[in-house]
Amino acid sequence: MISRGLTSQCYCTIIITYFYTTDPLHNAMSCCLYPQERLREESILPFSAFLTDNFGRRHSYLRMSLTEKCNLRCQYCMPEDGVKLTPRSQLLSTSEVLTLARLFVQEGVEKIRLTGGEPLIRPDVLDIIAELRKLEGLKTIAVTTNGMNLARLLPKLKDAGLNLINISLDSLVPAKFEFIVRRKGFHKVIEGIDKAIEMGYNPVKVNCVVMRGLNEDELLDFVALTEKKPLEVRFIEYMPFDGNKWNFKKMVSYQEMLDHIRQQWPNLEKLQTGQTETAKTFKVPGFKGQVGFITSMSDHFCGSCNRLRITADGNLKVCLFGNSEVSLRDVLRSGASNEELLQIIGAAVGRKKKQHAGMFSISQMKNRPMILIGG
């Protein structure tokens, strides 16, 4: 039945738009057809066609890299001799970061994570967070940091509106920490973790990349941290990126880590998590915190992926391990309208593959070093 105030032409548009946005097989087409009608009838759609791929995955989580620079040189992230940095003029400006964030939030993104390099060394990071907090529909603003500047900045970050913190820490042994990150600063990171707990962040997520022969002997020590503190220690399988000398023998699989931890805590219990969570989460009964495993290599979670990434130089990556990128910066600077931007974003999302190529194929593919992707 057609509403009295609705023309037959408008009714047709709604039916066509609804068909294209609810049928995953036609999402890519919907990015190019009827863009004005799609924007005009936005409020009736279940989720943005532009952020829904051909497999029905809805991308409500955006990771934005604020800088390629970092004050550490982690072995798994950056080549030993560093990386060639993009000229500043080719990086996204503050207004460009906010323009893109606003557009993605309007289309249904509910969570934005700011990454780097090291995002907290960007001078305007507080201003960016404060402006993001004003976006209607954005529920969560998160930061992934190496923790070096965290204790000093955290009060202002919280005032600006920061909801979640992930802190990288790959060893609890100061000398080993310095070997992995090729810099000093262990005690600054610990201070940042303690400050986050003190300021009420719960859980404080601690990211640990596990590498055989380097820090896999510390698994139990990391789990023990969760006994008294509201931490979620997340063990991340070592992943291949340009320049990090990845090989299969260095990777410690999720199952191997889990078996080792269960030898110490056989009653380790698995927790229920949301469908789009990347971590498989467990808890030792009675412990205040919990542990998680990011199993990108041995047991991928591509089928529930809801993440998109924008690099510091403005390229959209629909998959962390994919080497295809689309420059949103160039489109922005050409004076394109929001509708044109959305068509390009939608086309890229529509090309997203069902899953990544697998650990052995990924290790042979040309991709950016992690530092230039936004790790």
Side-chain angles (χ1 to χ4, degrees), residues 60-66 97-106 108-115 128-129 131-133 135 137-144 161-164 308 310:
S60 58
Y61 179 1
L62 179 66
R63 297 175 63 109
M64 303 189 78
S65 172
L66 297 185
V97 167
L98 295 173
T99 295
L100 289 174
R102 192 174 299 114
L103 185 61
F104 276 87
V105 171
Q106 287 171 359
V109 162
E110 296 180 336
K111 179 178 180 178
I112 291 179
R113 178 174 297 280
L114 302 177
T115 68
I128 289 173
I129 292 172
E131 289 302 313
L132 290 177
R133 180 46 56 212
L135 297 181
L138 183 61
K139 296 178 180 177
T140 304
I141 303 171
V143 159
T144 294
L162 182 66
N163 302 115
L164 292 176
L308 300 171
I310 297 177

Side-chain angles (χ1 to χ4, degrees), residues 31-97:
C31 300
C32 303
L33 297 175
Y34 313 104
Q36 287 77 23
E37 288 86 343
R38 187 250 164 263
L39 290 168
R40 191 160 53 240
E41 303 298 340
E42 183 178 47
S43 61
I44 70 163
L45 300 178
F47 191 79
S48 168
F50 298 107
L51 301 186
T52 306
D53 69 18
N54 291 338
F55 304 96
R57 293 173 294 201
R58 299 175 171 188
H59 296 82
S60 58
Y61 179 1
L62 179 66
R63 297 175 63 109
M64 303 189 78
S65 172
L66 297 185
T67 180
E68 296 174 349
K69 295 180 179 179
C70 188
N71 42 8
L72 299 182
R73 294 290 184 271
C74 299
Q75 293 187 25
Y76 53 82
C77 183
M78 188 185 292
E80 189 171 0
D81 53 356
V83 295
K84 184 178 180 181
L85 295 174
T86 303
R88 185 175 178 181
S89 62
Q90 295 178 31
L91 299 177
L92 291 177
S93 66
T94 306
S95 63
E96 288 169 336
V97 167

Side-chain angles (χ1 to χ4, degrees), residues 253-264 293:
S253 73
Y254 148 63
Q255 193 60 54
E256 182 181 343
M257 289 188 270
L258 186 61
D259 290 345
H260 182 54
I261 293 168
R262 278 196 162 136
Q263 288 177 14
Q264 176 72 23
F293 301 87

Side-chain angles (χ1 to χ4, degrees), residues 9 137 180 213 269 274 313 322 365:
Q9 181 182 6
I180 294 172
E269 59 185 28
D313 58 351
M365 289 168 56

Side-chain angles (χ1 to χ4, degrees), residues 334-364:
S334 73
S337 65
N338 281 354
E339 290 90 342
E340 291 168 321
L341 259 173
L342 284 173
Q343 288 181 19
I344 289 165
I345 292 166
V349 172
R351 292 191 296 269
K352 185 170 181 175
K353 296 179 180 178
K354 186 175 182 179
Q355 63 188 59
H356 66 60
M359 69 177 87
F360 296 108
S361 297
I362 290 170
S363 66
Q364 304 302 316

Side-chain angles (χ1 to χ4, degrees), residues 11 69 98 139 156 180 277 292 301-302 321 348-349 366:
Y11 183 75
K69 295 180 179 179
L98 295 173
K139 296 178 180 177
K156 292 180 180 179
I180 294 172
E277 290 296 318
F301 34 83
C302 302
F321 298 109
V349 172
K366 185 69 177 173

